[in-house]
Amino acid sequence: LGLEVVSVHEVQNESQWLDYRVRLDEIREDTRASRELVPNFLPYEAETDIPLAEAQALAAVESRVKVSHGASPGEKHEVRSPVSGQPIQITLSAESLNSRSTDGLLLRGSLASGLPGQELDPAVNEAWLFHGTKPIAADKITRNDFKIDMAGSSAGTLYGRGIYLAENSTKADEYADPDPRTGLSTLLLCRAALGRVLYTAEVDPDPRQCEDACLRGNFHSVLGDRRACRGTFREFVVFDEESVYPSFIVTYRRIMPAR
């Protein structure tokens, strides 16, 4: 299964952003105040950090790749990253094509060096994470009454009734319902304040214990490590909407493998 991005819209919801910043400050203060009760604050890095770090590294070097002379802006081109050695797909831009020389095309002209906005705060385990959801119009999510999906009957409640987030887009895709009119699906790329993380690699965790640890205990989120116990993906769960800010709406289509 592959996911092909069709469009990305940046969300600008001032009310939600202020609520999120207030929650960040609360988690920061709560973490500082509870160090005597729970002394070990463990930092967690989401795998979404890897492509961002790679993009920053690529933007900082004069890497060039070969493309055909007939290439035009908007075309997709697969290249091998000079940083990780892994194949990456880029969309050729007019800037990058204009910089083409006999040595090839300047790679950084087709890559963003990072996401806009403030840098993530490691002191509160802030991370970029995906959230799969129903098709959403860009104007709806910018309204003050928009609420991100809490887990219910159509989504898993393995770790309790919360907001389920993933570092892998293919995992978040499991929670995304395609639009019956267009066949396109929607992911939200969110800033999430994970704070003090309750880690569990249990196959069958107690969802009520996970909830209580965050709602009435010393934790702010749950990391369910299904990669460790099932060989699949890690899931992150928070239990209040203010701990998540949906920064980008990503519309995409599923590409099924050829048989």
Side-chain angles (χ1 to χ4, degrees):
L1 175 67
L3 307 180
E4 182 181 49
V5 174
V6 175
S7 64
V8 179
H9 296 281
E10 184 177 3
V11 174
Q12 295 185 354
N13 186 320
E14 183 177 2
S15 176
Q16 271 199 334
W17 175 248
L18 290 175
D19 288 343
Y20 177 71
R21 297 302 301 177
V22 169
R23 183 60 180 148
L24 276 180
D25 290 339
E26 290 175 349
I27 291 176
R28 187 179 295 107
E29 182 57 34
D30 185 39
T31 300
R32 185 183 302 115
S34 64
R35 286 191 188 277
E36 291 184 4
L37 296 174
V38 188
N40 295 322
F41 179 83
L42 299 178
Y44 284 93
E45 292 185 0
E47 289 186 356
T48 43
D49 290 342
I50 298 173
L52 292 173
E54 182 173 48
Q56 291 175 342
L58 289 172
V61 298
E62 295 286 329
S63 300
R64 291 184 179 271
V65 295
K66 298 290 185 181
V67 298
S68 66
H69 288 290
S72 58
E75 287 185 13
K76 290 182 171 54
H77 189 75
E78 186 173 284
V79 300
R80 191 162 294 279
S81 167
V83 175
S84 67
Q86 297 297 313
I88 56 174
Q89 190 175 77
I90 62 172
T91 301
L92 300 179
S93 66
E95 177 187 353
S96 63
L97 289 171
N98 290 336
S99 71
R100 182 168 43 185
S101 69
T102 54
D103 295 327
L105 176 146
L106 192 60
L107 185 57
R108 68 183 181 189
S110 293
L111 292 171
S113 60
L115 293 173
Q118 298 180 11
E119 291 187 5
L120 299 178
D121 185 355
V124 292
N125 272 329
E126 192 179 13
W128 287 109
L129 295 168
F130 293 102
H131 176 73
T133 186
K134 299 182 292 293
I136 300 174
D139 59 343
K140 179 180 179 182
I141 200 171
T142 58
R143 295 205 304 259
N144 292 339
D145 61 350
F146 173 79
K147 298 296 182 183
I148 196 167
D149 294 340
M150 297 288 282
S153 58
S154 62
T157 53
L158 183 65
Y159 302 103
R161 296 160 294 183
I163 298 170
Y164 282 66
L165 303 155
E167 57 195 348
N168 301 92
S169 58
T170 47
K171 175 60 184 177
D173 173 64
E174 295 178 8
Y175 296 89
D177 298 323
D179 188 325
R181 299 169 302 167
T182 64
L184 301 179
S185 301
T186 303
L187 291 180
L188 302 179
L189 181 57
C190 306
R191 299 177 75 110
L194 301 175
R196 194 181 298 281
V197 179
L198 173 63
Y199 175 88
T200 174
E202 293 183 46
V203 175
D204 296 306
D206 185 329
R208 298 294 85 81
Q209 285 185 2
C210 292
E211 287 183 26
D212 290 344
C214 295
L215 296 175
R216 286 171 280 278
N218 294 311
F219 296 92
H220 304 104
S221 64
V222 173
L223 167 52
D225 197 344
R226 307 305 286 178
R227 185 170 61 193
C229 67
R230 290 295 196 189
T232 55
F233 299 100
R234 302 196 304 178
E235 292 193 79
F236 297 82
V237 189
V238 297
F239 298 91
D240 61 285
E241 294 167 337
E242 287 75 22
S243 293
V244 178
Y245 179 75
S247 296
F248 298 93
I249 308 170
V250 182
T251 304
Y252 65 97
R253 64 172 56 93
R254 293 168 177 161
I255 306 298
M256 304 306 294
R259 295 184 177 179

